[in-house]
Amino acid sequence: MSAGAKAVYRPIGLVGSLVAGAVSSAVFGQVWKRVAGEGDAPSAMQSEYRMREVLVAAAVQGAIFAVTKAAINRAGARGFTKLTGSWPGD
């Protein structure tokens, strides 16, 4: 892909990452609420939770974010390719 096409794709990728963060946060909140029966997941600085609970919450949140980000980035790249004929990662 040309340098110009990469420059055009850069803001699309940035918006995709922001959307992925927002979507994954909402999805994680719902998953945690259903699985743990609590509104908020424990954070590392909350002393009332055990280490295991904090680590499980972080692992689930990380997995949801990674999958969401990959799906949204892939969809953005495919859309870009349909419009331009160039894959943004090449």
Side-chain angles (χ1 to χ4, degrees):
M1 175 192 324
S2 71
K6 282 187 178 183
V8 169
Y9 182 74
R10 188 165 291 154
I12 296 168
L14 179 60
V15 169
S17 292
L18 294 172
V19 170
V23 169
S24 64
S25 179
V27 169
F28 174 69
Q30 291 301 311
V31 167
W32 190 260
K33 190 182 298 183
R34 291 177 193 223
V35 170
E38 300 175 8
D40 293 327
S43 72
M45 299 307 289
Q46 291 177 302
S47 62
E48 64 269 21
Y49 293 101
R50 295 181 320 195
M51 176 69 90
R52 189 174 95 193
E53 293 171 306
V54 171
L55 295 179
V56 167
V60 171
Q61 186 175 26
I64 289 171
F65 177 75
V67 170
T68 304
K69 186 173 188 288
I72 289 174
N73 284 342
R74 186 67 178 206
R78 292 175 106 183
F80 184 82
T81 300
K82 285 184 181 182
L83 290 173
T84 66
S86 297
W87 185 258
D90 293 337

